[in-house]
Amino acid sequence: MSVGVQRGAIAAVQVLGLAVWFSMSAVVPGLRNDWGLTAGGAVWLTASVQFGFVAGAVASTALNLADRVPPQRLLAAGAAAAAACTAALALVADGPAVAVPLRFMTGVFLAGVYPTGMKLMASWAGSAGRGRTMGVLIAALTLGSTLPHLIAGLGSLPWRGVLLAAAAAGLAGSVIALVLVRPGPYAASAAPARNPRYALSMFTERGPRLANLGYFGHMWELYALWTWIPSFLLAAPAAGGLPGSVETTVFLAMGLGGAAGCLLGGWGADRFGRPPAALTALLLSGLCCLLSPLLFHAPPPLLFAFCALWGAAVIADSGVFSTSLSEVADHRYIGTALTGQTAIGFALTVVSIQLTPLLAEAVGWEYAFLLLAPGPLAGAFAMRAFGKGAPSVRSPQGTS
């Protein structure tokens, strides 16, 4: 099967499989009416997925699942199980007591979808074009994560219908993974010996350590922004003048804008190098954090343009970090390295997701996103050092 078909299939699995991730965020207004959901309850419905993802990623890392299990099977199983949890929530949940555990398990199973997809995509690209290839994957993740907002914004489905639609998408992604997806020519030829310590020992190497630190700063900002941008927009004076509903605006700005940013970031990583591409995105998204109080009062067209720019910048560097780590980590344990990276990164998102609404409650949504600015700025320092040190890039066979 051709390289293009394989890359397209892996990207399609990410779009469909990750549709369940933010499905609850898209239906919070309906849950407030049906369940009397509080702000704290809404936080836990999102944070529980992040906790679950971290737990699943840690377990996968400890067992080296992404390197020892056929990745297409792990990808298919994760997507199907996450879809099943979402469907069960739509059919039986009547409050957070049932929903939160199901969201936790959804996150556990998604740990088999996102990092495994990164490993598979990297296996279909040599170093020269890997930035663009990973950019395509992260663009797919962005579209999939925001797809429920489009479903909720354009349709008239009740919240249970939105969740069932997201679950159906996840199941379709599982089928594609099982039927079409296969590892590429740059994958390791054989399963390595079990080495759960590699997720930690990679931090003793300068290249992986700096690539990870850049990623952690990026993650401090990313998921808190994606989670709370609807609340920021609803509170803005210009909310009523945005294009369509707030959900539609989020999909356009964070979804389509983010996908465009991923593609541009991947192109820039291959054209100008990994550190310059990451630095540009980090500094731009950090600047957006700092400018958010001013743009909060902007007229609708300017506010939407600002959100679209932020949506592109905040995710443009994500594929760059994955690409960088896949090139400097031990080739035998690329899956473990990427899973360990995401485990720690998503653990950080739990903190920023929890703290952002607390700051908003104290000072208002106008100033809440200032909390996120230290993340991309710290990441920029790490990637600047990564570029200065010029760590060696391993060939597909793992030699420097």
Side-chain angles (χ1 to χ4, degrees), residues 3 6-7 10 65-72 115-127 130 133-134 181-192 326 329-336 338 394-399:
V3 173
Q6 280 296 319
R7 290 175 180 173
I10 296 167
L65 289 182
D67 295 309
R68 295 178 59 81
V69 174
Q72 70 273 22
T116 309
M118 286 193 290
K119 178 186 176 176
L120 280 163
M121 191 66 94
S123 77
W124 284 98
S127 182
R130 188 169 291 180
T133 302
M134 296 297 273
V181 173
R182 296 293 181 270
Y186 295 95
S189 58
S326 74
D330 187 326
H331 179 69
R332 298 169 299 168
Y333 298 104
I334 287 176
T336 298
L338 291 170
R394 300 179 189 272
S395 74
Q397 287 71 39
T399 57

Side-chain angles (χ1 to χ4, degrees), residues 252-284:
L252 293 173
M254 299 291 133
L256 296 183
C262 292
L263 298 176
L264 184 60
W267 171 81
D270 286 338
R271 177 67 177 81
F272 302 106
R274 316 312 189 208
L279 269 172
T280 300
L282 286 164
L283 292 174
L284 185 55

Side-chain angles (χ1 to χ4, degrees), residues 24 35 37 40-49 51-52 89 93 95-107:
M24 292 302 290
W35 292 356
L37 189 69
V43 168
W44 275 107
L45 286 175
T46 299
S48 57
V49 182
F51 277 123
L89 194 158
V98 175
V100 168
L102 284 170
R103 292 299 287 164
F104 177 86
M105 292 308 301
T106 300

Side-chain angles (χ1 to χ4, degrees), residues 278-376:
L279 269 172
T280 300
L282 286 164
L283 292 174
L284 185 55
S285 63
L287 181 62
C288 287
C289 292
L290 296 175
L291 292 177
S292 59
L294 295 176
L295 275 297
F296 181 82
H297 297 283
L302 182 56
L303 178 60
F304 176 77
F306 171 70
C307 289
L309 175 64
W310 199 353
V314 75
I315 190 66
D317 49 353
S318 190
V320 182
F321 299 119
S322 304
T323 302
S324 299
L325 185 59
S326 74
E327 291 171 338
V328 297
D330 187 326
H331 179 69
R332 298 169 299 168
Y333 298 104
I334 287 176
T336 298
L338 291 170
T339 306
Q341 181 189 63
T342 56
I344 299 172
F346 278 87
L348 285 172
T349 70
V350 175
V351 180
S352 59
I353 285 172
Q354 295 274 17
L355 291 180
T356 300
L358 295 179
L359 181 60
E361 186 175 347
V363 300
W365 280 106
E366 178 180 358
Y367 300 102
F369 287 145
L370 291 176
L371 173 73
L372 307 182

Side-chain angles (χ1 to χ4, degrees), residues 208-228:
R209 181 172 64 251
L210 290 172
N212 276 305
L213 290 175
Y215 177 78
F216 299 155
H218 151 82
M219 288 297 282
W220 175 263
E221 177 192 17
L222 175 62
Y223 276 82
L225 176 65
W226 277 2
T227 300
W228 298 116

